[in-house]
């Protein structure tokens, strides 16, 4: 470590940059900052560990739907991934190693929750209130992710449930599951990973499915020790594999773009998988989606359908409508006695809770400003919120590729913005309102006709208030980097730094 | 809902009926882009991915190179195919409008020849796995193909051989023999394909390539056994305003890396001179 790689004082309460969250986005930015010798930053993390969604989602069976050699930092490849799709704890371990190796840990204030962040125009600083006192920064970067705050279903009587109830991302590891009657609410990405695990231990398992998911085969396998050693010895092989995964993922954007031939290809793959794995025509019918493939997240699993075919498992093709004591009652009227209820109901994605805590120059919250849905110039900055940059915010999700790639593009953008401020002696950057609207209108145009808007489903990609696609980037991932991998000063109002007198 | 692209019309030229496809916005600020498929292909098979996706960016026109009835025995020339391209261009773009031209494989030979013969029309050029002059390695492969064709006709082994030549070892490594043979079985064989293969054995457009003035992107495939990358390097050297990009793929790049190929073409037609003439463009490292 050179002396330029100093770390902040443990009592330090101010920094040029404060980053909220130590998941993939916050760590990626922190690593890049340290790599280039920038040490004037702090990371506020509400939990006791790094990892974000990979720390929170420690439910049995958790894994990623993107191949690990792609779902990792390009600047920190890992030759030791155990599988094509490595299990969740391995990803969490990777992020811990990234944080430790890069010297990030002294920058991170664990157990420190951003309660409110307020722009102080006269001081040109963000004031960040936490339960451990206030922090101050010139630039605030939220890196809170799309999958940070669990969404709980509004089920009447849920509080009357006599058994154990918890969300999949807040797993109760003390709860006894063996031999219990377990209900799983949901049929999304978390549910299809939890269900096969629960089917193994439960005496009876009931799955409450509001709508069926398209599921395609998971081309998973373990890497051999020889392959791992080759990756370490010849990193080009790892890069070649990463490129192959990336471009194979990009290919699938044609499905989301709603090109008939590729839509049919995906549908055939999913329905063929269903037909091969489920022989019972009644169950198969319940598992056949009624919307276009890709409108909701396309899932990958080899063990979900077989789990549903087990004699101890019941699929209710119906939402959980209410709870009465120990009874879970489906919308179709079926009632099941349950000991444990797992809510695999996803996350607050289109209306992120962090936005209720960030207050801009007019005094209102970002959530209030976003009363018709999230929006940001270049998917990163918002008019009225000077010196705020949002990583993995509006229109940065993908339905077909690795979000880590998007995060890296946004980090590149942000580093250029910071350099620009320094070089041009700019104290404050604020996105121009017209530039922001024009960006959003262009995205809305791009979204037209995509399967997310035209696919006839209700998904977490679309804001119900506006009907606009606010979560997903409606194009190729490479097009995001082409559009937003470099800072665009022309979209901002700069305020010069006051000359020192 | 049809899964295949449907022609928007057809032109008659030298006795051949040439279907064309025309889609995408006219106000994109880019030149109209004409696409030419390769040997044993057509718009649907070789350009089934690129055509609809590029049409979200700009106006795209494609054509199905076609034989004239009654001329099944005639020797096919590059100029015959250039005439089909220009007939479609005249029909859709009139006699003067400039356009961008992309060709793949034999289509790249046709595209380069078109650009050499009509430098005033072809202002931008993308040559994917193209070549200037058939060389010994290609003649030997072509000889093996022709001998198989004469001895086994349409037997499976001929298509297997074509797939073996078309796809990269890395692509095949990730698939089973059954998968590859299934892909091979879709390769069409016909007297028209025979004529294209005969043309492939004797291409020499050296004089025409010297006359190319278009802003050009040459795309090579690193593991191409049918048109090894030294042919693309030769084009890179021969064309004055050329830049060069190599993709990790076999000859069948339209199947192996369609999205990466899309990206390369889309970036080029958006900003053709973003890389100066003579630049070897580094491959994207995601």
């Amino acid at each position: 470590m050179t002396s330029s790689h100093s770390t902040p004082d443990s009592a330090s309460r101010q920094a040029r940059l404060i980053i909220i969250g130590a998941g993939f986005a916050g760590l990626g930015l922190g690593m890049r900052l340290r790599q280039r010798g920038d040490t004037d930053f702090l990371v506020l993390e509400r939990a006791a560990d790094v990892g974000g969604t990979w720390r929170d989602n420690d439910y049995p069976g958790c894994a990623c739907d993107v191949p690990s050699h792609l779902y990792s930092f390009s600047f920190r490849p890992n030759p030791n991934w155990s599988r094509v799709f490595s299990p969740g704890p391995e990803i969490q371990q990777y992020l811990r190693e990234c944080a430790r190796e890069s010297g990030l840990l002294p920058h991170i204030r664990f157990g420190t929750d951003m309660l409110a962040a307020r722009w102080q125009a006269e001081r040109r600083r963000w004031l960040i209130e936490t339960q451990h006192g206030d922090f101050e920064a010139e630039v605030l970067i939220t890196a809170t992710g799309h999958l940070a705050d669990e969404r709980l279903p509004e089920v009447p009587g849920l509080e009357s449930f006599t058994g154990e109830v918890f969300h999949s991302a807040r797993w109760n590891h003390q709860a006894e599951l063996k031999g219990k009657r377990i209900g799983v609410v949901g049929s999304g990405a978390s549910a299809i990973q939890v269900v096969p695990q629960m089917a193994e231990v439960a005496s009876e398992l009931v799955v409450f499915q509001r709508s069926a998911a398209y599921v395609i085969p998971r081309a998973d396998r373990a890497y051999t020790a020889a392959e791992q050693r080759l990756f370490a010895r010849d990193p080009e092989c790892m890069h070649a594999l990463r490129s192959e995964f990336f471009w194979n993922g990009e290919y699938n954007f044609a499905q989301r773009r709603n090109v008939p031939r590729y839509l049919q290809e995906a549908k055939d793959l999913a329905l063929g998988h269903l037909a091969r794995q489920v022989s019972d025509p009644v169950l198969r019918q319940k598992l056949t989606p009624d919307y276009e493939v890709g409108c909701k997240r396309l899932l990958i699993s080899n063990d979900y359908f077989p789990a549903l075919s087990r004699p101890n498992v019941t699929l209710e093709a119906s939402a959980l409508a209410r709870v009465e004591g120990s009874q879970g009652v489906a919308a179709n009227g079926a009632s099941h006695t349950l000991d444990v209820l797992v809510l695999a109901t996803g996350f607050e994605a289109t209306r992120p809770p962090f936005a209720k805590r960030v207050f801009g120059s007019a005094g209102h919250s970002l959530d209030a400003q976003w009363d018709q849905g999230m929006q940001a110039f270049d998917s990163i900055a918002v008019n009225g919120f000077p010196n705020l940059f949002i990583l993995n915010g509006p229109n940065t999700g993908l339905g077909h590729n690795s979000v880590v790639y998007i995060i890296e593009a946004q980090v590149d953008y942000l580093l250029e913005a910071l350099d620009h401020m320094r070089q041009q002696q700019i104290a404050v950057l604020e996105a121009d309102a017209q530039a922001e609207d024009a960006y959003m209108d262009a995205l809305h145009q791009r979204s037209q006709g995509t399967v997310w808007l035209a696919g006839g489903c209700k998904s977490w990609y679309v804001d119900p208030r506006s009907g606009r696609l606010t979560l997903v980037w409606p194009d190729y991932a490479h097009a995001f980097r082409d559009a937003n991998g470099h800072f665009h000063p022309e979209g901002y109002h700069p305020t010069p730094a006051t000359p020192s007198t | 809902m049809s899964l295949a692209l449907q022609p928007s019309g057809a032109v008659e030229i030298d006795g051949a009926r040439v279907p064309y496809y025309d889609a995408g916005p006219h106000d994109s600020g880019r030149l109209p882009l004409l696409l030419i498929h390769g040997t044993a292909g057509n718009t649907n098979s070789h350009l089934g991915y690129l055509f609809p996706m590029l049409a979200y960016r700009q106006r795209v026109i494609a054509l199905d190179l076609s034989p004239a009835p009654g001329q099944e025995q005639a020797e096919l020339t590059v100029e015959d195919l250039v005439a089909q391209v220009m007939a479609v261009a005249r029909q859709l773009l009139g006699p003067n409008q400039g356009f961008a031209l992309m060709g793949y494989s034999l289509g790249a030979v046709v595209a380069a020849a078109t650009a050499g013969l009509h430098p005033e029309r072809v202002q931008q050029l993308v040559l994917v796995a193209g070549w200037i002059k058939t060389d010994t390695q290609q003649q030997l492969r072509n000889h093996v193909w022709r001998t198989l064709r004469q001895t086994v006709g349409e037997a499976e082994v001929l298509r297997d051989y074509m797939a073996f030549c078309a796809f990269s070892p890395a692509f095949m490594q990730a698939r089973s023999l059954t998968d590859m043979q299934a892909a091979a079985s879709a390769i069409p064989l016909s007297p028209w394909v025979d004529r294209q293969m005969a043309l492939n054995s004797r291409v020499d457009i050296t004089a025409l390539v010297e006359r190319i003035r278009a802003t050009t992107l040459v795309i090579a495939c690193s593991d191409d056994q049918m048109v090894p990358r030294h042919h693309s390097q030769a084009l890179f050297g021969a064309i004055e305003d050329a830049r060069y990009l190599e993709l990790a793929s076999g000859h069948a790049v339209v199947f192996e890396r369609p999205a990466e190929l899309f990206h390369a073409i889309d970036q080029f037609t958006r900003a053709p001179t973003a890389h100066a003439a003579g630049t070897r463009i580094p491959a994207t490292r995601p």
Side-chain angles (χ1 to χ4, degrees):
Chain A
M1 271 310 124
T2 63
S3 58
S4 70
H5 279 224
S6 60
T7 51
D9 188 280
S10 61
S12 174
R13 298 204 155 267
Q14 50 189 351
R16 181 170 181 234
L17 316 174
I18 286 186
I19 302 163
I20 309 300
F24 255 107
L27 293 179
L29 173 58
M31 290 163 78
R32 293 288 309 283
L33 285 168
R34 281 198 61 87
Q35 269 178 9
R36 61 184 216 160
D38 265 348
T39 56
D40 192 2
F41 69 94
L42 292 172
V43 182
L44 306 186
E45 169 54 57
R46 66 185 179 186
D49 196 359
V50 301
T53 203
W54 298 103
R55 173 201 61 227
D56 294 345
N57 285 278
D58 61 353
Y59 58 80
C62 180
C64 187
D65 280 3
V66 178
S68 304
H69 277 283
L70 179 59
Y71 193 80
S72 43
F73 295 119
S74 65
F75 50 86
R76 206 294 195 178
N78 173 22
N80 300 318
W81 290 117
S82 66
R83 309 185 64 81
V84 174
F85 298 96
S86 299
E90 200 175 324
I91 301 171
Q92 166 67 353
Q93 190 54 37
Y94 166 80
L95 289 173
R96 278 186 185 146
E97 284 167 18
C98 285
R100 183 181 47 76
E101 285 169 6
S102 60
L104 266 183
L105 293 177
H107 293 264
I108 306 177
R109 300 287 175 268
F110 288 108
T112 304
D113 195 9
M114 175 183 75
L115 301 174
R118 299 178 200 282
W119 175 248
Q120 303 171 289
E122 66 293 348
R123 291 175 51 74
R124 296 174 174 176
R125 295 278 191 285
W126 281 96
L127 183 75
I128 299 124
E129 303 164 23
T130 78
Q131 76 274 48
H132 301 308
D134 294 350
F135 289 78
E136 208 174 51
E138 291 169 38
V139 176
L140 176 65
I141 297 134
T142 60
T144 55
H146 288 161
L147 310 179
D149 296 281
E150 66 273 26
R151 193 188 75 81
L152 298 173
E154 288 171 18
V155 177
L158 190 57
E159 67 291 344
S160 77
F161 185 57
T162 49
E164 295 276 0
V165 57
F166 48 88
H167 188 274
S168 52
R170 303 282 177 263
W171 197 267
N172 179 353
H173 292 276
Q174 271 66 55
E176 181 59 54
L177 301 173
K178 193 155 184 56
K180 300 292 185 186
R181 294 164 296 190
I182 302 174
V184 172
V185 181
S187 54
S190 301
I192 70 153
Q193 295 181 343
V194 164
V195 162
Q197 305 288 321
M198 295 301 101
E200 292 282 341
V201 296
S203 60
E204 290 169 45
L205 175 65
V206 183
V207 178
F208 297 93
Q209 169 195 277
R210 182 167 58 87
S211 71
Y214 284 100
V215 182
I216 58 172
R218 191 177 183 84
D220 196 13
R221 69 175 183 87
Y223 288 115
T224 65
E227 285 174 302
Q228 291 170 334
R229 189 158 64 186
L230 174 62
F231 291 144
R233 288 177 171 176
D234 186 354
E236 260 322 299
C237 294
M238 243 187 315
H239 293 306
L241 191 61
R242 183 182 177 92
S243 285
E244 188 180 327
F245 286 137
F246 177 78
W247 291 112
N248 287 348
E250 289 290 79
Y251 170 80
N252 291 329
F253 176 67
Q255 300 163 10
R256 307 298 179 278
R257 190 47 271 180
N258 217 347
V259 178
R261 175 170 165 181
Y262 300 98
L263 210 57
Q264 192 62 43
E265 196 175 272
K267 209 177 207 166
D268 289 348
L269 185 63
L271 296 180
H273 188 48
L274 173 62
R276 273 190 304 279
Q277 290 204 320
V278 177
S279 52
D280 173 8
V282 176
L283 182 58
R284 197 188 288 174
Q285 185 52 43
K286 287 182 185 176
L287 288 167
T288 304
D290 60 0
Y291 54 86
E292 199 50 90
V293 63
C295 184
K296 292 158 82 87
R297 185 164 157 187
L298 184 61
L299 306 179
I300 62 168
S301 174
N302 297 336
D303 54 7
Y304 178 61
F305 291 147
L308 294 176
S309 304
R310 293 170 59 128
N312 65 329
V313 179
T314 304
L315 175 69
E316 287 298 349
S318 175
L320 177 65
R322 63 183 193 278
V323 172
E324 296 168 358
S326 65
Q327 300 292 307
V329 185
N332 62 10
S335 184
H336 297 272
T337 307
L338 300 169
D339 305 309
V340 178
L341 201 47
V342 177
L343 306 174
T345 44
F347 299 86
E348 296 289 357
T350 51
R351 200 168 171 189
F354 89 87
K356 294 191 180 76
R357 301 180 177 198
V358 177
F359 299 87
S361 43
H364 61 245
S365 73
L366 193 52
D367 184 69
Q369 175 143 330
W370 283 347
D371 60 355
Q372 290 305 304
M374 295 192 285
Q375 67 166 44
F377 173 65
D378 285 356
S379 297
I380 200 166
V382 182
N383 177 258
F385 293 78
N387 282 7
L388 171 70
F389 294 94
I390 302 164
L391 295 184
N392 203 192
N395 298 105
T396 59
L398 293 176
H400 72 283
N401 216 326
S402 169
V403 78
V404 179
Y405 176 86
I406 299 291
I407 288 170
E408 287 194 26
Q410 291 204 288
V411 167
D412 284 347
Y413 183 110
L414 178 53
L415 294 180
E416 284 186 18
L418 295 172
D419 288 344
H420 178 80
M421 290 175 80
R422 195 173 275 152
Q423 284 154 11
Q424 305 295 318
Q425 307 204 338
I426 293 166
V428 182
L429 277 179
E430 180 178 356
D432 174 70
Q434 285 180 346
E436 183 180 320
D437 287 341
Y439 177 84
M440 292 310 296
D441 287 345
L443 279 195
H444 190 58
Q445 285 306 314
R446 272 200 222 207
S447 310
Q448 295 308 306
T450 61
V451 74
W452 298 296
L453 291 183
C457 75
K458 174 178 180 289
S459 85
W460 52 282
Y461 299 136
V462 175
D463 195 301
R465 294 169 294 183
S466 62
R468 283 194 170 203
L469 192 65
T470 59
L471 199 82
V472 171
W473 168 252
D475 208 312
Y476 286 103
H478 70 245
F480 186 91
R481 175 169 275 287
D482 289 348
N484 297 323
H486 292 286
F487 175 61
H488 300 130
E490 63 277 14
Y492 292 84
H493 295 288
T495 308
T498 315
S500 51
T501 48
Chain B
M1 182 175 69
S2 170
L3 297 183
L5 304 168
Q6 299 301 316
S8 345
V11 289
E12 305 277 339
I13 176 83
D14 302 335
R17 185 174 179 279
V18 181
Y20 58 77
Y21 306 75
D22 183 6
H26 290 212
D27 60 353
S28 67
R30 306 187 199 189
L31 291 177
L33 173 63
L34 259 78
L35 308 177
I36 313 172
H37 64 80
T39 302
N42 56 40
T43 298
N44 266 294
S45 64
H46 283 177
L47 307 171
Y49 189 88
L50 287 176
F51 183 88
M53 296 311 288
L54 285 166
Y56 283 105
R57 299 282 199 258
Q58 63 175 106
R59 185 177 184 190
V60 201
I61 296 163
L63 70 155
D64 292 334
L65 298 171
S66 302
Q71 295 178 28
E72 285 80 5
Q73 301 307 314
E75 188 171 87
L76 184 66
T77 66
V78 172
E79 286 74 10
D80 293 338
L81 301 176
V82 171
Q84 297 194 1
V85 172
M86 289 309 294
V88 170
R90 270 192 303 277
Q91 169 84 12
L92 295 177
L93 302 173
N96 301 315
Q97 190 183 344
F99 57 88
L101 185 59
M102 192 284 303
Y104 163 58
S105 186
L106 175 59
V109 172
V110 176
T114 307
L117 287 165
H118 303 277
E120 73 294 347
R121 298 293 304 273
V122 182
Q123 295 177 5
Q124 294 158 13
L125 182 63
V126 183
L127 304 175
V128 182
W131 73 103
I132 299 173
K133 187 172 186 215
T134 304
D135 70 3
T136 306
Q137 187 264 5
Q138 291 175 309
Q139 285 171 336
L140 186 57
R141 177 181 50 77
N142 205 293
H143 166 74
V144 173
W145 185 88
R146 198 167 58 251
T147 307
L148 276 172
R149 178 79 165 127
Q150 284 161 358
T151 50
V152 306
E154 299 201 359
E156 207 170 68
V157 65
L158 179 59
R159 291 187 171 90
D160 289 349
Y161 176 67
M162 291 170 86
F164 173 79
C165 295
F167 291 94
S168 70
F171 185 83
M172 292 196 250
Q173 189 190 21
R175 283 155 187 83
S176 67
L177 182 59
T178 315
D179 291 342
M180 289 314 302
Q181 288 182 315
S185 70
I187 300 174
L189 290 167
S190 67
W192 176 231
V193 171
D194 296 346
R195 292 173 69 204
Q196 294 170 52
M197 286 299 287
L199 171 58
N200 287 338
S201 71
R202 51 180 157 72
V203 164
D204 184 355
I205 55 168
T206 311
L208 293 177
V209 168
E210 285 170 8
R211 293 161 55 186
I212 293 174
R213 294 291 166 262
T215 303
T216 302
L217 173 64
V218 176
I219 299 178
C221 303
S222 60
D223 300 304
D224 194 332
Q225 305 184 79
M226 301 182 75
V227 186
R229 64 182 165 188
H230 63 261
H231 292 284
S232 289
Q233 288 168 327
L235 284 162
F236 182 41
I239 299 170
E240 186 178 350
D241 190 3
R243 58 279 301 133
Y244 175 91
L245 173 67
E246 206 167 284
L247 303 182
S249 174
H251 188 68
V253 61
V254 292
F255 303 112
E256 292 192 26
R257 286 288 173 94
E260 191 174 10
L261 186 57
F262 167 88
H263 184 217
I265 296 169
D266 179 40
Q267 276 199 319
F268 176 72
T269 60
R270 185 192 312 149
T273 55
H275 295 280
T279 305
R280 205 188 142 107
I281 303 170
T284 314
R285 285 174 78 94

